[in-house]
Structures are given as C-alpha cells and as structure tokens.
C-alpha cells in the first residue's frame, strides 16, 4: 500500500468527536492533495468474456420475450462495475432486476401510448414532448437515486441526495424556456399553409425564420442548461455519509460549445470538398463529362452514397469535442473529502474510438458491440486519475434511513435512454 | 482463501484471509503495517474513527449459513457479506464455490453463469440469435399484432380515417373529375361484392400517385380518377375493390403499425445504444426491410382475400391479375427496377401465379 506516502501537516482537524455528525474526515487543504498518493483506476473487463455474457443474456431475453432483459441488465452492469478497479478494490452493482423491470414496463407503456396516440392525433407528439420535458427533472432524480444507491465501493454505498423539488429549482425555468420555444415552433409551422400559392415566399421565410430562431435559442440554452444539470447532479452525489462537491465553471461549457461548433463546421467543409473531388474523379474517369448520357445513373448514386458515409465521422466530431471537454471539466473539479479527481479524455482519441467502434459494430452485424463497449470503457477509465486515501470514509446515510428505504422500495430504474 | 475485509460502517479495507472452521467462516485480517508508522493527524483520525465505527478487530466470524454470498459472474470478485455488515471480497471464485460446496449456488444466476462461461454456449447463442429474431418477426409480432389491432376501438379507427383522408386531400390528392356514370359504375361494385357495410368508397384525382387505390384502416377506400379510367370493366374494378377490402378486413394498416414499431423496439434494444451510426445501420435499415417484408406479406393476404371474394361472386380471380398488369404497365418506372427486398409489393409474376388456373378475365 502506498499510504505511507501520505504526508499531511496542514489544514483539517482531527477533532471528529461529534458522533453521528457528518465527519470532517480528511478535510485536507487542496495543496495537500498534490502530495497525496495517486491512484490509477483500471478497467479489467475483457472483450471475449463480455461477449459471452452479452450474447447469452441477449438470447435469454429474446426467448423470454423481454422479461429476462431486466436480469440481463443487472448482469451487464455487474460485469462493468465489477471490473472497474480503484485502489485494488472493485465497484459493485446491487440493483434489483424487479425494479428495473418495473421501470421498463412503465417505459414500454408510455412508448406504446405515444406511438399509437401519434397516429390518432397530431397533437400527441407535442403533448408528449411537453410532458417528458416537464417530468425530466423528476425522472433524472429517480434514475440517479436508483443507480447510485445501488452502487458500492469498499462496502460503502453511493447515493443521490438531490430531490425533485431541488432539481426543478435548479433547472426548471430553463427547461420551461426550451419547451416554450418548441411549442412556439410547432405553432408557427402549424399556422403556415405551405401550399398557399400566393404567399409561398412569405411562408417559406416564416418557417425558415422560426427554425433559425429555435435552433439559435436551443444552441444558446445548451451550455447553461448543461452547466446547471451537471452542477446539480455532481453536488448531490454521496458516498457513505460524505458528499461530493464540484464547483463547475459555466465558461467551460461555452468554450466547449464554441469548439464543437467550429470543428463541426470545419469537418463538414472538408467532407464536402472530398465529396466533390470524388464525384469529379468518377465523372472524368467514366468519361461522363464529355458525354453525360453515357453515365450510368447508378454509378453516380453509389458514388454519392459512399461519399456520404464520410459525413458520419464529421458528425461525430462535435459530439466528441463537447463530451470530452465538459466531462473532463466536471470530473476534474469534483472532490470527495480528501479525494481529488482528474479526467483527461482526449477528444481526438475519443472520436477515433467512437468512429472505429461504430464501423466495426456495423461490419460485424452487431457482434462486435461487446468488444466496442469494453474498448471504450477501458479508454475512459484509463483517463481517470484519483488522488487521496480511499480508506477513511464512513458509512451512514445523510438522511433518515427509513425514508430512504421507503423511497427505494418505490424506486424504479428509468433507463430508457434519455 | 485470500481477499480483502471491509469492516462494517467504513471504507477501511485490509488484506485478509478466510477459512472454514466447522460450520463457521472466519476472516482473519492481516496486521496493519502502518500501525506504528508515523502519519498525519487527519489520516490517523480517519483511520481510527473508521476502525471505531466498524469495531473491526482482527477477526470476524459467522455461521456459514448466515453469510450472504453474491452470485458468480465472470471473473469479478465475490462478495461475502457477514451478518454484522462486514464484507469479505475475493477474486478467488473457485475457492468460494468450493467453500459453498454443499450449499451450492442459487437458481437462475448459477445456470446463466454456466452458460456464460463456455464458448460453446456463446456460439450456440450466436446461432440462435438470428433464429430468435426471425421467429419473433415472422411469428411472434404478427401474433401479438392481431389482438392489439382488434383492441383499438372502431370509433378511434374512424377518426384515424378522417384524419388521414384530410391529410391526403391536402398533400397528395386532388378533387375528382370523374363523371357521375363512372362513379356509379365503381360504386355498383361495392354492392355487387356485398361490401356495403364494410367499405366506404371515395374518389379523388390521383395527382402524383396516378392510377392507384388506397385502403384506410376504418374502411375508407380511395380510388383515383386515373384508376377508374384505366380499368374500365366492372370485373377489374371489382377485383381491385376486393383487394382493398382485404386490407380493411384483415386490419393491415394497424397490424403493420404494431409490427413495425415492435421490430424497431426490439432491434433498438439489442443494437441501439452505441451511437447513431449503429442505430442507422443495425436498427433503422433492418427495421425498414422488415416492414417492407410485412407489407409484401399483407399484399399477398389481400390478394388471397380478393380471390376468394371474387370467386364467391362468380367473378374470375384472374381479373385481379389483369387489373394489376394494367397498373404495373402504366406505372413502370425506376421503382419497379428495385430488387424485390426493397419492394412494397410482391412481384407481378408471383401475384398472377397466385390467382390460380381459373377462367380468364372477361370470359
């Protein structure tokens, strides 16, 4: 063990006498953290091993018409948690399949109502968007509570201490603005009669204007909304009786947006040039330039189709930039008592893994998905660094334990991809 | 066996070993090499408080039956939870299984673990996956779709008809320019086939879709002007009407909706959470192909329904083939060049062959 590297003389008090109170354990000053031991978390999962788990559970889920999928989810998660090593100890997932099944049934019911409702009335998708946005803070809290309360490390449970009310206070108004913008957009488009020959120009302008406005507002809302959401979630995660803290800076989110936007535009332009070049080469090569009629229309179609594939990596680039820059920041300013964290995802590396994973998954008809997931997880965990001593945390809940238990009884996993 | 002991109530985790003594399991915690080492006040306070909170001595013991053992999964560590809240974790899965010996592992988890551990079973699963999907899509979903489509109340379906028709009138169809005689001629076929209470025939200019007939789920059948002009004879009009009545009677549009949504949901759940690229290639495209195979199947069903209905009323089944040939003839374009897997309708030859060897149309 590297605990003897610990040399601390400053800050903090050993005066932890109030029993049951939040322990001021390891209240180290930040400068001491630089001398704290560095821990390199590691993902020990192996593609072959995970492939067997994935495929067996997949087929079992299909054979049971989806019922087993909740148990399959638990095994998948246990595999990933149980292979994530921090300071020689693995994480654990304790979620009950029944809770997951409950959440899944609710999700499936809502999905069916939405799909069929949309056939019968045009307003159903709009109402659904409003309802989903309105309940998003509540769903987020539910999901985090379930997920974290069922995660443990070194025998201590994580937890989520945020309430739905606090979530609504933190980012409810912003959500309201987003929804209002969306409703405005649908309303405008609904008002315009596209076929009306007298006002074609006017109407096109209106729709374009509304679209541009909606796009602009949603893009400008994104950094603020994301900053608020991640601030709220990171500052309410608990481990044993200790609370994580993270002082996020909104500027980083704006920077990430700018970088993602700039690189996205640049990548799209490059792809366009490549596309034009490829089409030109094909047209010259087949002699279609001098004699357009000799051109087989299929040749052109196939060429354009292949060139279009290049857009996929170009689209993934801004996503990767945004994800890496914001996540690196969020994790790197997070602290847990004496523990400090540093995440260094490389956005080009991350992008390359996403692109190649997708390509290999498609070429293998999905059979390489387990390999792709393990590969990505290994990379992500390898970019994380933890400093401090993980041995000094205490169990206990920050709230009335009976209340927590009750909530857990009602809790269900809301894991349907938001 | 070697592992780590986490004392109850704290994250303090120390190397330890576990042994079986009679009916008891005993954990012996290794002596802490840091005990005498000088270290900072904070850490010491943390450690000592952690130790106090956990009341961790150097040994913990419990009756074997009271220890909760997590189920085996690949090579992740096993958790042996002691009644007091302490936990012994170890990577030595085989030793834990040996220790459990007589108690054995519980139910489904150990069965699944045995399947997951062998490549042979994984290969069986790989082979079973396409079979399962095929069965689900061709047998399972259609079975589910039937009662679901029937469960949708008639009034809702009628509303749907109105909504769809309004939409079609706005976007696609034009007002009819047929003469009253032409309309009456087509209307007469509804009577002739005894479909009065099931089919509601309406006429519209076809616009971009030209000669065509559409069946909406509630029983509204649209004939385009071009279709009525193209087909001319009573028998051919009756044949096309019978085909569309087949779509209505078999509730094809509702079943198509249920089955297609089902296919997307299943594929999305299996392949869908990696990125939008895999979503597109492994979910959307196969789902569309699957949906096309459903529509081809529905066309065959509607053809078969039409053949029966026509023959019941003394009209040669071949009239449907004649009408279809005319339609295909005038619609010949880039679409008919597509491979059959991308077609919404089965090939003409197949449909003509399906009408059997009865009398020719017009005899």
């Amino acid at each position: 063990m590297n605990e003897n590297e610990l040399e601390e003389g400053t800050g903090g008090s050993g005066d932890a006498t109030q029993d049951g109170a939040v322990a001021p354990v390891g209240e180290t000053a930040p400068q001491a953290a630089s001398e704290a031991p560095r821990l390199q978390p590691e993902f020990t999962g192996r593609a072959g091993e995970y492939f067997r788990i994935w495929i067996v559970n997949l087929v079992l889920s299909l054979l049971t018409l989806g019922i087993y999928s909740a148990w399959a989810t638990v095994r998948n998660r246990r595999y990933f948690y149980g292979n994530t090593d921090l300071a020689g100890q693995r994480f654990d997932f304790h979620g009950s399949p029944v809770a997951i099944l409950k959440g899944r049934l609710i999700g499936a019911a809502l999905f069916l109502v939405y799909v069929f409702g949309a056939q019968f009335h045009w307003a159903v998708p709009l109402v659904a968007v409003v309802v989903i946005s309105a309940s998003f803070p509540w769903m987020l809290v539910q999901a985090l509570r379930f997920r974290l309360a069922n995660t443990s490390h070194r025998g201590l449970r994580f937890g989520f201490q945020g309430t739905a009310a606090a979530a609504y206070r933190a980012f409810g108004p912003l959500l309201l603005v987003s929804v209002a913008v969306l409703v405005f957009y649908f309303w405008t488009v609904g008002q315009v009669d596209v076929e009306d020959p007298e006002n074609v120009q006017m109407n096109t302008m209106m729709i374009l204007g509304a679209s541009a406005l909606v796009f602009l507002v949603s893009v400008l809302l994104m950094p603020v909304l994301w900053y608020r959401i991640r601030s709220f979630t990171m500052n309410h995660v608990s481990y044993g009786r200790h609370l994580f803290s993270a002082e996020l800076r909104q500027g980083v989110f704006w920077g990430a947006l700018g970088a993602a936007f700039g690189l996205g535009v640049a990548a799209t332009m490059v792809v366009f040039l490549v596309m034009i070049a490829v089409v030109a080469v094909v047209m010259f090569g087949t002699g279609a330039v001098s004699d357009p009629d000799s051109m087989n229309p299929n040749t052109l179609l196939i060429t354009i189709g292949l060139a279009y594939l290049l857009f996929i990596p170009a689209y993934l680039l801004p996503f990767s930039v945004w994800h890496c820059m914001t996540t690196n920041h969020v994790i790197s300013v997070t602290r847990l008592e004496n523990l400090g964290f540093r995440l260094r995802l490389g956005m080009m590396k991350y992008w390359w893994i996403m692109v190649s994973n997708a390509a290999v998954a498609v070429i293998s008809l999905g059979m390489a998905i387990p390999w792709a997931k393990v590969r990505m997880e290994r990379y992500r965990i390898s970019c994380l660094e933890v400093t401090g001593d993980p041995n000094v945390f205490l169990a206990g809940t920050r709230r009335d334990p009976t209340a927590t238990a009750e909530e857990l009884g009602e809790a269900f996993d809301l894991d349907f991809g938001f | 066996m070697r592992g780590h002991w986490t004392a109850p109530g704290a994250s303090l985790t120390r190397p330890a070993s576990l042994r079986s003594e009679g009916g008891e399991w005993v954990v012996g915690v290794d002596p802490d090499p840091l005990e005498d080492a000088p270290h900072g006040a904070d850490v010491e306070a943390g450690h000592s408080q952690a130790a106090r909170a956990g009341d961790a001595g150097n040994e913990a013991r419990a009756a074997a039956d009271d220890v909760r053992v997590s189920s085996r999964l690949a090579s992740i560590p096993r958790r042996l939870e002691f009644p007091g809240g302490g936990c012994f974790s170890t990577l030595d899965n085989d030793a834990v299984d040996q220790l459990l010996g007589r108690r054995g592992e519980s139910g489904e988890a150990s069965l699944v673990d045995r399947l997951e551990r062998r490549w042979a079973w994984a290969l069986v699963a790989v082979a079973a996956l396409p079979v399962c999907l095929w069965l689900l899509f061709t047998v399972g979903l259609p079975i589910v779709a039937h009662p679901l489509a029937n469960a949708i109340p008639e009034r809702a379906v009628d509303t749907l008809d109105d909504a769809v028709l309004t939409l079609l009138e706005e976007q696609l169809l034009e007002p009819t320019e047929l003469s009253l005689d032409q309309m009456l001629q087509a209307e007469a076929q509804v009577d002739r086939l005894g479909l009065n209470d099931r089919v509601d025939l309406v006429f519209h200019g076809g616009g971009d879709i030209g000669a065509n007939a559409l069946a909406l789920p509630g029983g509204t059948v649209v004939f385009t002007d071009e279709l009525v002009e193209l087909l001319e004879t009573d028998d051919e009009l009756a044949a096309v009407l019978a085909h569309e009545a087949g779509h209505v009677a078999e509730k094809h549009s509702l079943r198509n909706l249920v089955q297609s949504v089902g296919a997307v949901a299943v594929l999305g759940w299996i392949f869908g959470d990696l990125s939008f690229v895999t979503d597109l290639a492994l979910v959307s495209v196969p789902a569309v192909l699957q949906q096309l195979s459903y529509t081809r199947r529905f066309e065959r069903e509607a053809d078969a329904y039409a053949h029966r209905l026509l023959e019941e009323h003394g009209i040669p089944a071949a009239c449907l083939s004649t009408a279809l040939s005319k339609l295909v003839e005038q619609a010949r374009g880039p679409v008919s060049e597509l491979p059959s897997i991308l077609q919404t309708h089965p090939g003409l030859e197949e449909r003509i062959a399906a009408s059997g060897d009865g009398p020719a149309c017009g005899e």
Side-chain angles (χ1 to χ4, degrees):
Chain A
M1 286 294 220
N2 40 13
E3 277 145 28
N4 31 6
E5 289 167 30
L6 255 182
E7 289 266 301
E8 281 162 345
T10 54
S13 71
D15 183 17
T17 45
Q18 309 131 284
D19 266 349
V22 177
V25 171
E27 215 178 56
T28 39
Q31 65 264 29
S34 57
E35 299 158 29
R38 278 165 200 278
L39 306 167
Q40 176 61 62
E42 194 194 349
F43 184 69
T44 54
R46 292 194 304 269
E49 195 177 55
Y50 179 56
F51 174 80
R52 299 197 300 268
I53 293 174
W54 180 79
I55 192 83
V56 164
N57 283 280
L58 188 57
V59 169
L60 287 176
S61 301
L62 285 175
L63 287 177
T64 55
L65 300 176
I67 305 292
Y68 182 77
S69 73
W71 279 259
T73 301
V74 170
R75 289 190 82 77
N76 276 285
R77 244 176 242 171
R78 276 187 66 202
Y79 184 79
F80 275 87
Y81 285 42
N83 276 305
T84 306
D85 185 299
L86 174 63
Q89 298 297 308
R90 311 291 181 86
F91 285 81
D92 257 315
F93 181 70
H94 310 257
S96 117
V98 177
I100 292 177
L101 189 63
K102 252 197 306 190
R104 207 155 271 179
L105 287 176
I106 293 171
L110 291 177
F111 178 69
L112 278 181
V113 168
Y114 169 75
V115 168
F116 289 105
Q119 301 293 318
F120 290 101
H121 204 280
W122 59 269
V124 168
L126 193 57
V127 173
V129 167
V130 173
V131 170
I132 289 172
S133 316
S135 51
F136 171 74
W138 176 78
M139 289 198 292
L140 182 72
V141 168
Q142 278 289 319
L144 285 172
R145 200 171 275 174
F146 179 82
R147 188 67 78 85
L148 286 165
N150 284 308
T151 302
S152 73
H153 189 244
R154 297 177 162 252
L156 294 195
R157 296 273 180 139
F158 288 82
F160 190 69
Q161 309 299 329
T163 60
Y168 279 102
R169 278 197 301 278
F171 50 89
L174 275 172
L175 271 182
L176 200 68
V177 176
S178 323
V179 174
V181 166
L182 211 65
V183 171
F184 162 78
Y185 176 73
F186 277 107
W187 180 80
T188 317
V189 173
Q191 291 294 303
V192 177
D193 179 6
V194 192
E195 299 274 291
D196 184 0
E198 311 223 324
N199 290 317
V200 173
Q201 251 181 338
M202 177 71 191
N203 291 337
T204 318
M205 292 282 286
M206 263 183 83
I207 291 188
L208 281 180
S211 310
L213 188 69
V214 167
F215 180 73
L216 201 69
V217 173
S218 11
V219 164
L220 292 182
L221 277 176
M222 196 162 83
V224 192
L225 189 60
W226 229 241
Y227 160 75
R228 292 265 176 92
I229 292 177
R230 304 211 62 171
S231 249
F232 169 74
T233 52
M234 280 316 292
N235 282 296
H236 288 91
V237 177
S238 60
Y239 176 61
R241 68 173 62 167
H242 312 268
L243 199 58
F244 280 81
S245 70
E247 268 183 51
L248 306 192
R249 291 192 309 276
Q250 209 185 115
V252 175
F253 290 80
W254 287 100
L257 177 74
F261 188 75
L263 279 168
V265 168
T268 310
M269 270 161 46
V270 169
V271 171
F272 255 122
L273 291 178
V274 170
M275 240 173 114
I276 292 169
V278 168
V279 171
V281 166
V282 169
M283 285 185 74
F284 274 108
T286 56
V289 175
S290 48
D291 178 15
D293 294 335
S294 74
M295 181 89 181
N296 182 348
N298 284 341
T299 316
L300 191 64
L301 267 175
I302 290 170
T303 313
I304 293 179
L306 285 178
Y308 193 75
L309 282 181
L310 288 175
F311 270 115
I312 292 170
Y315 287 142
L316 288 173
L317 185 62
F319 172 79
S320 162
V321 171
W322 167 265
H323 178 79
C324 292
M325 285 181 75
T326 55
T327 313
N328 280 350
H329 170 65
V330 171
I331 301 301
S332 299
V333 297
T334 296
R335 296 195 61 80
L336 173 67
E337 307 290 0
N338 77 77
L339 290 190
F341 303 85
R342 179 161 293 278
L343 181 68
R344 291 196 192 90
L345 293 171
M347 51 196 172
M348 293 319 277
K349 182 82 196 269
Y350 192 87
W351 171 76
W352 164 244
I353 293 178
M354 274 206 300
V355 171
S356 48
N357 270 358
V360 174
V362 170
I363 293 167
S364 66
L365 296 179
M367 290 303 111
I369 286 178
W371 170 82
K373 284 187 174 165
V374 164
R375 178 174 173 231
M376 183 54 110
E377 194 65 11
R378 178 169 301 147
Y379 176 66
R380 279 159 39 150
I381 299 292
S382 78
C383 294
L384 181 64
E385 190 185 282
V386 181
T387 48
D389 179 7
N391 259 328
V392 296
F393 295 96
L394 296 174
T397 45
R398 296 181 64 88
R399 283 186 296 169
D400 177 16
T402 52
T404 317
E406 236 169 66
E407 274 162 7
L408 265 184
E410 288 165 18
F412 45 82
D413 192 26
L414 289 161
D415 185 27
F416 41 94
F418 50 79
Chain B
M1 91 190 74
R2 295 293 297 164
H4 285 86
W5 172 252
T6 306
S11 67
L12 181 61
T13 300
R14 297 235 206 102
S17 49
L18 183 142
R19 64 185 187 277
S20 179
E21 264 177 23
E24 280 196 325
W25 287 353
V26 183
V27 174
V29 181
D30 294 3
D32 187 351
L34 291 180
E35 211 78 290
D36 306 318
H39 48 290
D42 296 330
V43 181
E44 192 162 10
H47 277 173
S48 63
Q49 198 189 1
R52 249 191 295 130
D55 192 22
N58 284 328
E59 205 176 82
R61 55 173 65 227
D65 290 341
D66 295 338
V67 178
R68 265 193 53 207
V69 183
S70 68
S71 63
R72 181 168 181 161
L73 193 154
S75 52
I76 70 169
R78 276 310 238 305
R79 239 180 21 249
L80 284 67
E81 290 168 1
F82 279 62
C87 180
F88 181 81
S89 70
T90 176
L91 283 163
D92 198 346
N93 270 299
D94 289 333
V96 175
D97 282 343
Q98 230 170 9
L99 204 59
L100 282 171
R102 355 169 250 300
R103 227 171 100 190
E105 281 255 63
S106 57
E108 120 275 333
S110 96
L111 173 72
V112 177
D113 174 62
R114 260 176 280 150
L115 296 177
E116 288 167 351
R117 245 185 286 169
R118 301 226 179 286
W119 273 105
W121 284 114
L123 291 179
V124 169
V126 170
L129 182 64
V131 178
C132 285
L133 284 177
W134 183 78
L135 279 176
L136 190 67
F137 288 161
T138 58
V139 184
L141 281 175
I143 289 179
V144 177
H146 249 297
L148 265 178
N150 286 331
I152 297 174
E154 226 161 273
R155 267 193 55 201
V157 181
D158 288 341
T159 327
L160 181 58
D161 266 25
D162 292 341
V164 174
L165 196 58
T166 314
L167 195 71
L168 286 173
E169 281 165 356
E170 275 173 15
Q171 313 243 318
L172 195 65
L173 303 171
E174 286 152 18
T176 180
E177 287 168 6
L178 290 176
S179 69
L180 191 60
D181 281 346
Q182 283 173 307
M183 287 194 229
L184 286 174
Q185 185 199 2
E187 282 285 3
Q189 308 313 317
V190 180
D191 246 352
R192 188 172 165 212
L193 294 174
L195 295 170
N196 276 321
D197 50 347
R198 269 185 284 168
V199 165
D200 185 12
L201 188 60
V202 295
F203 303 95
H204 276 287
D208 290 339
I209 60 168
N212 222 321
L214 310 166
L216 307 186
T220 308
V221 172
V222 182
F223 272 14
T224 65
D225 295 357
E226 293 85 341
L227 178 84
V228 178
E229 272 156 16
L230 180 75
L231 294 184
E232 294 167 344
T233 75
D234 284 0
D235 285 356
E236 286 166 6
L237 283 171
V240 172
L241 185 68
H243 172 90
E244 297 305 325
H247 283 315
V248 175
E250 311 270 2
K251 297 201 191 259
H252 283 158
S253 20
L254 297 176
R255 280 163 59 196
N256 188 26
L257 178 67
V258 176
Q259 292 174 195
S260 307
V261 167
V264 172
V266 170
L267 288 168
W269 167 68
I270 297 176
F271 301 117
D273 53 348
L274 204 59
S275 82
F276 77 92
V277 185
T278 41
D279 278 5
L280 187 72
L282 299 174
V283 180
S284 305
V285 172
V288 168
L289 294 180
Q290 186 55 42
Q291 186 180 1
L292 288 171
S293 106
Y294 287 144
T295 67
R296 289 194 298 274
R297 187 161 147 181
F298 290 150
E299 293 303 327
R300 285 187 205 107
E301 273 186 41
D303 280 358
Y305 181 94
H307 295 151
R308 283 198 307 276
L309 190 65
L310 291 172
E311 272 162 4
E312 270 171 34
H313 293 86
I315 306 168
C319 289
L320 183 59
S321 308
T322 328
L324 291 173
S325 308
K326 283 188 181 177
L327 278 168
V328 170
E329 186 63 35
Q330 65 91 44
R332 197 166 288 284
V335 174
S336 51
E337 310 286 324
L338 289 174
S340 63
I341 192 170
L342 295 176
Q343 298 277 3
T344 55
H345 290 59
L348 183 63
E349 293 80 11
E350 180 196 330
R351 297 178 76 181
I352 290 175
S355 69
D357 298 329
C361 192
E363 278 176 15

